[in-house]
Short mmCIF file of all heavy atoms in Angstrom, two decimals:
data_model
loop_
_atom_site.label_atom_id
_atom_site.label_comp_id
_atom_site.label_asym_id
_atom_site.label_seq_id
_atom_site.Cartn_x
_atom_site.Cartn_y
_atom_site.Cartn_z
N VAL A 111 -10.66 8.47 5.26
CA VAL A 111 -11.38 8.99 4.11
C VAL A 111 -12.23 7.88 3.51
O VAL A 111 -11.76 6.75 3.33
CB VAL A 111 -10.39 9.52 3.05
CG1 VAL A 111 -11.13 10.01 1.82
CG2 VAL A 111 -9.54 10.64 3.64
N GLY A 112 -13.47 8.22 3.20
CA GLY A 112 -14.38 7.25 2.61
C GLY A 112 -14.80 7.64 1.20
O GLY A 112 -14.09 8.36 0.50
N ALA A 113 -15.98 7.21 0.82
CA ALA A 113 -16.46 7.40 -0.54
C ALA A 113 -17.13 8.76 -0.72
O ALA A 113 -17.41 9.49 0.24
CB ALA A 113 -17.47 6.30 -0.88
N ILE A 114 -17.41 9.09 -1.98
CA ILE A 114 -18.28 10.21 -2.34
C ILE A 114 -19.68 9.62 -2.48
O ILE A 114 -19.88 8.64 -3.22
CB ILE A 114 -17.84 10.85 -3.66
CG1 ILE A 114 -16.41 11.38 -3.54
CG2 ILE A 114 -18.79 11.96 -4.07
CD1 ILE A 114 -15.76 11.71 -4.88
N TYR A 115 -20.65 10.19 -1.77
CA TYR A 115 -22.00 9.64 -1.74
C TYR A 115 -22.95 10.45 -2.64
O TYR A 115 -22.59 11.51 -3.16
CB TYR A 115 -22.52 9.62 -0.31
CG TYR A 115 -21.93 8.49 0.53
CD1 TYR A 115 -20.64 8.60 1.05
CD2 TYR A 115 -22.65 7.33 0.77
CE1 TYR A 115 -20.09 7.57 1.81
CE2 TYR A 115 -22.12 6.29 1.52
CZ TYR A 115 -20.84 6.42 2.03
OH TYR A 115 -20.30 5.39 2.77
N ASN A 116 -24.16 9.94 -2.79
CA ASN A 116 -25.17 10.62 -3.59
C ASN A 116 -25.84 11.77 -2.83
O ASN A 116 -26.69 12.47 -3.36
CB ASN A 116 -26.25 9.63 -4.07
CG ASN A 116 -26.91 8.89 -2.91
OD1 ASN A 116 -26.43 8.96 -1.77
ND2 ASN A 116 -27.99 8.20 -3.19
N ALA A 117 -25.46 11.95 -1.57
CA ALA A 117 -25.93 13.06 -0.74
C ALA A 117 -24.85 13.33 0.30
O ALA A 117 -23.87 12.59 0.40
CB ALA A 117 -27.26 12.72 -0.07
N LYS A 118 -25.03 14.38 1.07
CA LYS A 118 -24.04 14.71 2.09
C LYS A 118 -24.12 13.69 3.23
O LYS A 118 -25.18 13.51 3.83
CB LYS A 118 -24.27 16.11 2.64
CG LYS A 118 -24.06 17.20 1.59
CD LYS A 118 -24.38 18.58 2.15
CE LYS A 118 -24.18 19.65 1.07
NZ LYS A 118 -24.51 21.01 1.56
N PRO A 119 -23.02 13.02 3.54
CA PRO A 119 -23.04 12.01 4.62
C PRO A 119 -23.55 12.55 5.95
O PRO A 119 -24.19 11.82 6.71
CB PRO A 119 -21.58 11.58 4.71
CG PRO A 119 -21.06 11.77 3.32
CD PRO A 119 -21.73 13.03 2.83
N ARG A 120 -23.29 13.82 6.23
CA ARG A 120 -23.74 14.36 7.53
C ARG A 120 -25.25 14.47 7.62
O ARG A 120 -25.80 14.64 8.71
CB ARG A 120 -23.09 15.71 7.77
CG ARG A 120 -23.50 16.83 6.82
CD ARG A 120 -22.68 18.06 7.14
NE ARG A 120 -22.97 19.21 6.27
CZ ARG A 120 -22.27 20.32 6.29
NH1 ARG A 120 -21.23 20.44 7.11
NH2 ARG A 120 -22.58 21.33 5.50
N ASP A 121 -25.94 14.35 6.47
CA ASP A 121 -27.41 14.38 6.47
C ASP A 121 -28.02 12.99 6.56
O ASP A 121 -29.23 12.82 6.36
CB ASP A 121 -27.92 15.06 5.18
CG ASP A 121 -27.52 16.53 5.12
OD1 ASP A 121 -27.26 17.12 6.19
OD2 ASP A 121 -27.45 17.07 4.00
N LYS A 122 -27.21 11.99 6.85
CA LYS A 122 -27.67 10.60 6.83
C LYS A 122 -28.91 10.37 7.69
O LYS A 122 -29.86 9.69 7.28
CB LYS A 122 -26.55 9.67 7.31
CG LYS A 122 -26.88 8.18 7.25
CD LYS A 122 -25.68 7.34 7.68
CE LYS A 122 -25.94 5.87 7.46
NZ LYS A 122 -26.99 5.32 8.34
N LYS A 123 -28.95 10.96 8.87
CA LYS A 123 -30.07 10.72 9.79
C LYS A 123 -31.38 11.32 9.29
O LYS A 123 -32.46 10.91 9.72
CB LYS A 123 -29.74 11.25 11.17
CG LYS A 123 -28.64 10.47 11.88
CD LYS A 123 -28.37 11.01 13.27
CE LYS A 123 -27.28 10.21 13.98
NZ LYS A 123 -26.99 10.74 15.32
N THR A 124 -31.31 12.30 8.40
CA THR A 124 -32.53 12.94 7.88
C THR A 124 -33.01 12.29 6.60
O THR A 124 -34.08 12.63 6.10
CB THR A 124 -32.27 14.43 7.61
OG1 THR A 124 -31.33 14.55 6.52
CG2 THR A 124 -31.71 15.12 8.85
N LEU A 125 -32.23 11.35 6.07
CA LEU A 125 -32.58 10.68 4.81
C LEU A 125 -33.33 9.38 5.07
O LEU A 125 -33.18 8.78 6.15
CB LEU A 125 -31.32 10.39 4.00
CG LEU A 125 -30.48 11.59 3.57
CD1 LEU A 125 -29.16 11.11 2.97
CD2 LEU A 125 -31.24 12.43 2.55
N PRO A 126 -34.13 8.91 4.13
CA PRO A 126 -34.79 7.61 4.28
C PRO A 126 -33.75 6.50 4.46
O PRO A 126 -32.60 6.63 4.02
CB PRO A 126 -35.56 7.44 2.96
CG PRO A 126 -35.73 8.83 2.43
CD PRO A 126 -34.52 9.59 2.87
N ALA A 127 -34.15 5.43 5.09
CA ALA A 127 -33.25 4.30 5.31
C ALA A 127 -32.67 3.81 3.98
O ALA A 127 -33.39 3.68 2.99
CB ALA A 127 -33.99 3.17 6.02
N SER A 128 -31.39 3.57 3.96
CA SER A 128 -30.66 3.05 2.80
C SER A 128 -30.61 4.04 1.63
O SER A 128 -30.20 3.68 0.51
CB SER A 128 -31.24 1.72 2.31
OG SER A 128 -31.23 0.76 3.34
N ALA A 129 -31.00 5.29 1.87
CA ALA A 129 -30.98 6.27 0.77
C ALA A 129 -29.57 6.74 0.47
O ALA A 129 -29.25 7.06 -0.68
CB ALA A 129 -31.86 7.46 1.12
N LEU A 130 -28.73 6.78 1.48
CA LEU A 130 -27.35 7.24 1.29
C LEU A 130 -26.51 6.12 0.71
O LEU A 130 -26.29 5.09 1.35
CB LEU A 130 -26.76 7.72 2.63
CG LEU A 130 -25.40 8.41 2.56
CD1 LEU A 130 -25.51 9.75 1.84
CD2 LEU A 130 -24.82 8.60 3.97
N GLN A 131 -26.02 6.31 -0.52
CA GLN A 131 -25.27 5.27 -1.21
C GLN A 131 -23.97 5.83 -1.80
O GLN A 131 -23.95 6.93 -2.33
CB GLN A 131 -26.11 4.67 -2.33
CG GLN A 131 -27.34 3.91 -1.87
CD GLN A 131 -26.98 2.66 -1.09
OE1 GLN A 131 -26.00 1.99 -1.39
NE2 GLN A 131 -27.79 2.34 -0.09
N PRO A 132 -22.88 5.07 -1.72
CA PRO A 132 -21.62 5.52 -2.33
C PRO A 132 -21.73 5.48 -3.85
O PRO A 132 -22.30 4.55 -4.42
CB PRO A 132 -20.60 4.51 -1.81
CG PRO A 132 -21.40 3.28 -1.52
CD PRO A 132 -22.75 3.76 -1.06
N VAL A 133 -21.18 6.49 -4.51
CA VAL A 133 -21.24 6.53 -5.97
C VAL A 133 -19.86 6.58 -6.63
O VAL A 133 -19.69 6.17 -7.77
CB VAL A 133 -22.09 7.74 -6.46
CG1 VAL A 133 -23.55 7.54 -6.09
CG2 VAL A 133 -21.57 9.05 -5.89
#
Side-chain angles (χ1 to χ4, degrees):
V111 177
I114 300 165
Y115 284 78
N116 57 348
K118 295 177 181 179
R120 65 185 179 188
D121 295 337
K122 184 177 187 293
K123 291 182 179 179
T124 67
L125 298 171
S128 303
L130 188 67
Q131 294 294 324
V133 292

